[in-house]
Amino acid sequence: GEAEQLRHDLAGGLRRQVTLVNTVSPSVDSLDIKSFVTEADASVLVLGRQAAGTDTIIDQAARLHADGLRVRLLLTFYEEWVGKLPISELQRSSFLFDISDVHRTRYRRMARVMDIAASLLIWPFFLLVLPIVFVGNLIGNRGPLFFRQPRVGKAGAEFQIVKLRTMTPGSESTEWTSDADDRITRFGQILRRSHIDELPQLINILRGDISVVGPRPEQPHYVEQLKASIPFYDLRHIVQPGLTGWAQVNYGYGNTTMDALEKLQYEFYYLRHPSLWLDLQIVARTLQSVIGRKGR
């Protein structure tokens, strides 16, 4: 249920420190919320979907709110404290909101300017390390320098993503990989840990295939699988995919359908709250993670 899912989600990393002190079913007869909150010494009252639809509970919650207790609907609480949407919201048609990448011309233009500026800023570093990578590839990888793979972009359009190859020649498949994948060469491990293998995606950014910030693009056959198993999964393709994103800095790498579901909750939060300020926060947290400082 919602309470069990909330307890699970609060066990992970949070935007703000919070502890779930107790839960109660709104179906309990003659529920005195004020006494319940006082006994639990709670500072926030969170109303699930059933509670939000019960008049007697809403009346009590309104009085408590007027007395100074913070009261939040489940969706609002997740957005403020957890930074994602609850699973229950992924099963409802609650996505009728403006999306900056679609509805706001100024945001699209500014995001594109930021994409081009960031790409041009990083290009000198890429050109500087490329000869070193070329020599390392000859010794440690012994095969093509670059790796191309189809991905699904905005509006479902496919494009070829470009990376530095990190696996033994001919072993690249369409299967998800893991850090312990034996197809990854030793030199490839260095490229992955340093994230240098991602640098050729600057080409994709300049082409307009991806942005600096957005949901990470997946392979076409995975998209079809996830669309069939996860409600509203295809909505992530409303916006431009990105080199990094809100799901990446909050959840990290995933290689299962459950991981995809967790990441989708963060991606829908990003869809609901897109802004250049949030984009800059994502970029900053990504850089912190890359250089080995605090980050996820």
Side-chain angles (χ1 to χ4, degrees), residues 6-282:
L6 177 59
R7 191 180 301 277
H8 171 268
D9 289 334
L10 294 182
L14 298 176
R15 304 181 71 195
R16 300 164 65 178
Q17 188 58 43
V18 63
T19 301
L20 180 61
V21 292
N22 211 338
T23 62
V24 64
S25 171
S27 61
V28 174
D29 294 334
S30 303
L31 177 63
D32 183 353
I33 299 180
K34 183 174 183 179
S35 297
F36 180 78
V37 168
T38 302
E39 292 174 6
D41 194 24
S43 58
V44 182
L45 173 64
V46 180
L47 303 179
R49 284 185 295 165
Q50 184 180 352
T54 305
D55 290 341
T56 56
I57 292 180
I58 290 296
D59 290 342
Q60 293 184 67
R63 289 195 295 272
L64 289 171
H65 179 67
D67 290 339
L69 179 72
R70 285 179 290 181
V71 179
R72 298 290 187 274
L73 298 177
L74 186 65
L75 173 60
T76 307
F77 177 82
Y78 263 85
E79 290 184 312
E80 290 184 10
W81 270 267
V82 190
K84 66 178 184 180
L85 267 66
I87 289 179
S88 59
E89 292 299 325
L90 302 185
Q91 300 170 351
R92 306 171 65 199
S93 56
S94 57
F95 305 112
L96 302 179
F97 49 84
D98 284 353
I99 298 175
S100 295
D101 196 29
V102 176
H103 300 108
R104 301 173 189 170
T105 303
R106 183 179 179 184
Y107 172 84
R108 291 201 306 270
R109 290 175 178 171
M110 291 298 295
R112 183 58 182 157
V113 169
M114 188 176 77
D115 288 343
I116 295 174
S119 299
L120 295 178
L121 186 65
I122 302 174
W123 260 111
F125 174 74
F126 178 46
L127 295 177
L128 182 66
V129 301
L130 190 57
I132 300 173
V133 174
F134 179 78
V135 174
N137 182 72
L138 289 177
I139 299 173
N141 278 354
R142 299 188 179 184
L145 181 62
F146 295 102
F147 169 64
R148 292 173 175 81
Q149 190 178 67
R151 297 293 175 94
V152 177
K154 185 175 181 179
E158 291 188 21
F159 66 95
Q160 294 287 321
I161 201 168
V162 185
K163 292 186 178 185
L164 292 170
R165 186 176 54 83
T166 60
M167 296 185 179
T168 54
S171 67
E172 298 94 346
S173 70
T174 58
E175 297 302 317
W176 270 320
T177 61
S178 64
D179 291 336
D181 198 312
D182 57 11
R183 295 172 297 169
I184 302 174
T185 66
R186 290 185 178 181
F187 186 66
Q189 289 284 10
I190 296 174
L191 294 178
R192 284 178 173 243
R193 288 170 183 167
S194 62
H195 298 278
I196 291 176
D197 66 312
E198 307 279 359
L199 289 178
Q201 291 174 73
L202 295 172
I203 299 172
N204 293 116
I205 293 176
L206 291 175
R207 285 176 180 170
D209 298 327
I210 64 176
S211 295
V212 172
V213 177
R216 281 295 291 162
E218 287 288 358
Q219 299 176 54
H221 72 286
Y222 280 131
V223 169
E224 292 304 314
Q225 292 177 17
L226 295 170
K227 282 167 58 177
S229 59
I230 299 178
F232 306 109
Y233 182 82
D234 203 34
L235 281 177
R236 72 195 299 274
H237 299 121
I238 291 177
V239 302
Q240 198 87 342
L243 179 64
T244 184
W246 188 240
Q248 276 61 46
V249 299
N250 283 284
Y251 191 76
Y253 185 79
N255 58 3
T256 68
T257 300
M258 289 306 299
D259 289 331
L261 177 58
E262 286 278 354
K263 292 168 72 172
L264 189 65
Q265 295 173 70
Y266 288 105
E267 288 167 352
F268 277 137
Y269 172 88
Y270 177 76
L271 292 184
R272 288 176 62 91
H273 303 280
S275 67
L276 292 177
W277 174 240
L278 180 58
D279 289 349
L280 290 174
Q281 291 182 63
I282 293 171

